[in-house]
């Protein structure tokens, strides 16, 4: 016996159902194509992917595990063009190419990555973190707070990629999650950061510090500082968390008359050195440094260090007292260094102000944070010599790391694998600052070797037997072989610790581990 409901259901079944549109993504083995595919699937769309590379040459294929998508490798089959309603090519694909012509000749509609970004909004709080040093640690720590507090932060998922420039942050913040905490970097060009921010729609931002970097192509520090200041322009009327101990950051805030909610952090600590830093007014400020480029300052123009909203006092080892307007609470870290106190303050202020995580909970989460691989990472602890790698790749970063290690070790050997993004000036500055804190210096990269020749008279430079060949410009200044050659020299030094610094040191740390664990290692030790 049929009912009216049965008749209604039967009639509904006869109505043609709207077919789900299929998005075809070209270049899924590339970073942007990979992220585009995942963003679409995270938002419930049907996706098919293609790439001319084989699975052996598709380094991020693992990120698609668990997704229901058809992946065509080694070719772009005809079925891909026939099955797609929209086709999204990588931004790098030239319009004059045969493949682009094939997309235009297909029945599918061309969709650019920016079209996708306009169509799909982040639909969640977006926190953009920028600065010269400390971005990765601060970002990772804030995400650690999120996970422990029950929030799911978006993750780009690329295990060997920092992923802080171009389309990566905008696409990352559109992946599945409750909050997006994205590291946003630059290549040192005006508009770099604005490109990212315009597409991320941040609700909050954090500036860790601004120290000289990317000063190539005849650019100066003022130019670089204004690039970082693009975050303040984007966040007018919203919230920004800043390092008030940095005159470059505080000068930007003051100079731009920022009109949103401003939250500052800083450290009450005895100065560890003196330097000068250019003020936004053009004068050079005397800076009593707590860490490199950061500390106590007062310029004739009236710019002076503010009273921080989040202040670390009584810093002893890995613990400090956090003071806010109405709270004093003891904090303890599992990571070391005054620079990490600054990183922790930025993450604490953002987690409490934006995500409303109670400070008592943050206290528990901070203690369980184990740090970021490649940041003061111990490869080996030995009675004769500890072996450490660190990603430091600009003058202030190198100085901060070596200054911290000087507190622990009497004699320090340093292998430099860096090619400075500020060119010759940066390479020379790195060697000069290393001389102040190291007892033995081994320049392993082509550009560090070139710069070190001007400091031979220091008596601290130890040259590898073979002059390193020019590898390439950029922070990855050395090959794996060059890193190991530098390591061999460093292991022969009469030092308590050997630190390999630079992107290459971190990239090739597995090569370093294999070498130091080999049976022949003892012949290099004293």
């Amino acid at each position: 016996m049929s009912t009216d409901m049965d008749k209604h259901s039967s009639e509904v079944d006869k109505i043609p159902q709207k077919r789900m549109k299929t998005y075809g993504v070209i270049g899924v083995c590339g970073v942007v194509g990979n992220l585009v595919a995942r963003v679409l699937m995270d938002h419930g769309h049907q996706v098919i992917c293609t790439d001319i590379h084989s699975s052996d040459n598709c380094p991020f294929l693992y990120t698609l595990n668990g997704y229901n998508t058809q992946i065509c490798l080694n070719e772009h089959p005809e079925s891909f063009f026939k099955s797609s309603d929209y086709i999204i090519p990588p931004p790098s694909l030239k319009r004059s190419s045969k493949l682009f012509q094939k997309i235009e000749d297909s029945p599918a509609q061309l969709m650019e990555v920016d079209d996708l970004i306009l169509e799909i909004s982040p639909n969640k709080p977006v926190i953009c973190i920028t600065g010269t040093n400390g971005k990765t640690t601060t970002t990772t720590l804030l995400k650690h707070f999120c996970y422990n507090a029950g929030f799911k932060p978006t993750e780009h998922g690329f295990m060997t990629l920092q992923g802080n420039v171009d389309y990566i942050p905008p696409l990352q913040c559109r992946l599945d999650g409750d909050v997006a905490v994205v590291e946003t970097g630059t290549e040192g060009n005006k508009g770099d950061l604005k490109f990212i921010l315009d597409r991320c729609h941040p609700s909050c931002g954090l500036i860790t510090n601004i120290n000289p970097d990317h000063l190539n192509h005849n650019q100066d520090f003022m130019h670089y500082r204004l690039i970082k200041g693009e975050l303040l322009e984007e966040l007018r009327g919203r919230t920004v968390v800043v390092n008030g101990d940095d005159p470059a950051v505080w000068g930007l805030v003051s100079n731009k008359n920022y009109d949103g909610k401003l939250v500052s952090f800083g450290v009450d600590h005895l100065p560890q050195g003196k330097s000068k830093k250019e003020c936004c007014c053009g004068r050079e400020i005397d800076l009593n440094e707590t860490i490199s480029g950061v500390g106590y300052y007062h310029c004739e123009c009236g710019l002076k260090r503010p009273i921080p909203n989040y202040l670390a006092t009584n810093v002893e080892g890995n613990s400090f007292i956090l003071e806010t307007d109405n709270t004093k609470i003891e904090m303890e870290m599992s990571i070391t260094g005054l620079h990490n106190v600054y990183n922790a303050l930025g993450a604490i202020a953002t987690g409490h102000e934006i995500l409303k995580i109670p400070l008592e909970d943050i206290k528990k989460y901070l203690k369980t944070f184990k740090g970021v691989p490649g940041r003061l990472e111990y490869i080996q602890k030995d009675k004769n010599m500890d072996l450490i790698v660190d990603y430091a790749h600009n003058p202030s970063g190198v100085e901060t790391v070596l200054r911290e290690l000087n507190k622990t070790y009497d004699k320090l050997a340093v292998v430099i694998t860096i090619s400075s993004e500020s060119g010759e000036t940066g390479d020379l500055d790195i060697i000069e600052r290393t001389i102040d804190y190291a007892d033995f210096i081994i320049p392993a990269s082509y550009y560090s070797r070139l710069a070190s020749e001007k400091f031979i008279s220091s008596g601290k430079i130890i040259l590898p037997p073979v002059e390193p060949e020019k590898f390439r410009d950029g922070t990855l200044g050395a090959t794996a072989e060059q890193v190991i050659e530098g390591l061999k020299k460093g292991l022969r030094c009469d030092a308590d610790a050997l630190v390999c610094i630079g992107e290459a040191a971190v990239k090739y740390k597995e090569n370093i581990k294999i070498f130091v664990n080999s049976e022949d290692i003892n012949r290099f030790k004293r």
Side-chain angles (χ1 to χ4, degrees):
M1 182 178 181
S2 63
T3 65
D4 289 340
M5 183 61 74
D6 292 330
K7 291 177 183 177
H8 178 70
S9 298
S10 178
E11 290 169 0
V12 169
D13 289 340
K14 295 177 183 178
I15 299 174
Q17 299 297 307
K18 187 177 181 181
R19 184 177 70 84
M20 182 180 288
K21 298 289 186 181
T22 299
Y23 290 79
V25 178
I26 293 177
V28 73
C29 293
V31 171
V32 175
N34 180 292
L35 281 169
V36 164
R38 285 190 280 143
V39 166
L40 285 163
M41 289 186 285
D42 279 357
H43 286 266
H45 295 292
Q46 186 169 290
V47 176
I48 57 176
C49 309
T50 184
D51 202 293
I52 58 170
H53 291 99
S54 67
S55 57
D56 291 338
N57 294 310
C58 198
F60 306 121
L61 203 56
Y62 59 84
T63 64
L64 297 170
N65 292 339
Y67 282 101
N68 182 23
T69 182
Q70 180 185 348
I71 304 174
C72 305
L73 298 179
N74 301 302
E75 61 174 342
H76 304 301
E78 288 298 327
S79 58
F80 170 81
F81 297 94
K82 292 177 181 178
S83 303
S84 301
D85 296 291
Y86 301 94
I87 293 181
I88 307 176
S92 59
L93 184 66
K94 293 181 179 179
R95 289 183 171 268
S96 59
S97 67
K98 290 182 179 179
L99 179 56
F100 198 94
Q101 186 62 52
K102 192 170 185 178
I103 296 169
E104 290 192 314
D105 291 342
S106 74
Q109 183 176 330
L110 173 67
M111 191 178 204
E112 304 280 11
V113 175
D114 275 326
D115 297 330
L116 173 69
I117 285 172
L118 285 172
E119 186 173 300
I120 298 176
S121 67
N123 69 6
K124 60 181 72 68
V126 177
I127 301 168
C128 289
I129 297 175
T130 194
T132 306
N133 305 111
K135 296 188 297 294
T136 302
T137 299
T138 304
T139 300
T140 309
L141 177 54
L142 184 53
K143 288 195 284 190
H144 176 77
F145 293 166
C146 290
Y147 282 118
N148 281 276
F151 303 124
K152 179 185 176 182
T154 61
E155 297 280 11
H156 62 56
F158 302 123
M159 292 185 291
T160 58
L161 188 69
Q162 198 166 8
N164 63 10
V165 295
D166 199 38
Y167 280 103
I168 301 176
L171 290 168
Q172 179 185 336
C173 71
R174 286 163 170 80
L175 291 169
D176 184 43
D178 305 311
V179 59
V181 181
V182 291
E183 179 179 338
T184 50
T186 80
E187 299 291 347
N189 301 310
K190 184 179 180 181
D192 277 354
L193 199 54
K194 188 177 187 303
F195 175 92
I196 296 170
L197 299 172
D198 284 347
R199 291 159 176 77
C200 281
H201 310 303
S203 45
C204 169
L206 190 160
I207 305 179
T208 59
N209 51 54
I210 305 176
N211 288 317
D213 199 14
H214 293 284
L215 303 186
N216 50 354
H217 307 303
N218 297 318
Q219 295 169 350
D220 57 19
F221 181 51
M222 185 70 76
H223 172 90
Y224 175 67
R225 179 167 49 194
L226 290 174
I227 294 170
K228 296 297 184 183
E230 291 169 2
L231 181 65
L232 298 174
E233 297 288 350
E234 178 70 28
L235 287 169
R236 287 193 177 278
R238 281 165 278 177
T239 301
V240 66
V241 178
V242 299
N243 184 347
D245 287 1
D246 186 342
V249 175
W250 196 246
L252 266 180
V253 172
S254 304
N255 203 34
K256 288 185 174 292
N257 298 314
Y258 179 72
D259 60 357
K261 182 178 179 181
L262 184 63
V263 181
S264 62
F265 61 89
V267 167
D268 180 15
H269 193 279
L270 288 174
Q272 301 186 88
K274 291 187 176 183
S275 69
K276 292 183 181 293
K277 200 167 188 178
E278 185 182 3
C279 180
C280 56
C281 71
R283 295 181 177 88
E284 279 200 328
I285 309 175
D286 289 325
L287 182 62
N288 291 313
E289 292 183 322
T290 47
I291 63 173
S292 183
V294 170
Y296 300 91
Y297 56 90
H298 190 169
C299 183
E300 292 178 30
C301 71
L303 182 74
K304 64 179 180 179
R305 177 182 182 264
I307 299 173
N309 302 114
Y310 286 74
L311 176 67
T313 65
N314 298 84
V315 180
E316 294 183 7
N318 293 359
S319 67
F320 60 91
I321 303 294
L322 173 67
E323 296 187 11
T324 67
D325 293 338
N326 49 24
T327 305
K328 281 189 179 183
I329 182 170
E330 186 172 355
M331 295 283 178
E332 186 177 349
M333 309 186 301
S334 292
I335 52 179
T336 61
L338 189 56
H339 62 299
N340 278 322
V341 174
Y342 277 102
N343 294 333
L345 286 171
I348 290 167
T350 308
H352 186 56
E353 294 285 337
I354 304 302
L355 302 176
K356 307 302 179 186
I357 304 174
L359 289 177
E360 284 292 346
D361 290 345
I362 286 177
K363 175 179 179 175
K364 293 184 292 185
Y365 308 153
L366 178 61
K367 193 173 181 179
T368 61
F369 179 66
K370 302 301 182 183
V372 178
R375 271 66 178 177
L376 282 180
E377 180 179 351
Y378 279 79
I379 300 298
Q380 178 175 280
K381 288 195 174 186
D382 185 271
K383 62 180 180 180
N384 290 325
M385 179 188 285
D386 289 346
L387 178 58
I388 306 159
V389 297
D390 193 272
Y391 188 79
H393 59 279
N394 54 51
S396 59
V398 169
E399 182 176 42
T400 294
V401 166
L402 299 184
R403 186 181 277 171
E404 288 299 326
L405 289 173
N406 263 197
K407 297 175 183 177
T408 305
Y409 299 101
D410 291 329
K411 288 188 176 181
L412 192 62
V414 181
V415 176
I416 301 176
T417 73
I418 305 166
S419 167
S420 173
E421 290 175 305
S422 294
E424 182 183 6
T425 301
D427 292 317
L428 291 169
D429 199 1
I430 287 169
I431 297 292
E432 191 168 11
R433 297 195 193 202
T434 304
I435 286 172
D436 290 339
Y437 297 97
D439 300 277
F440 310 95
I441 302 167
I442 302 94
S445 66
Y446 171 82
Y447 284 107
S448 65
R449 169 73 173 247
L450 210 61
S452 69
E453 291 174 358
K454 297 187 178 183
F455 298 93
I456 293 293
S457 62
S458 69
K460 295 185 176 183
I461 306 294
I462 301 173
L463 300 178
V466 179
E467 183 175 343
E469 292 183 6
K470 184 176 180 180
F471 176 41
R472 74 182 201 197
D473 295 335
T475 52
L476 188 65
T479 64
E481 293 76 16
Q482 290 167 349
V483 171
I484 297 302
E485 284 304 311
L487 183 69
K488 289 177 183 177
K489 277 288 185 181
L491 287 168
R492 290 193 175 98
C493 296
D494 182 22
D496 305 307
L498 172 62
V499 57
C500 297
I501 56 172
E503 183 181 343
V506 175
K507 181 179 177 66
Y508 302 121
K509 69 180 179 181
E510 293 304 319
N511 303 65
I512 293 173
K513 288 178 181 179
I514 291 169
F515 179 78
V516 299
N517 289 326
S518 70
E519 60 183 2
D520 294 324
I521 187 65
N522 288 325
R523 69 188 176 93
F524 291 99
K525 294 184 177 180
R526 62 186 186 277

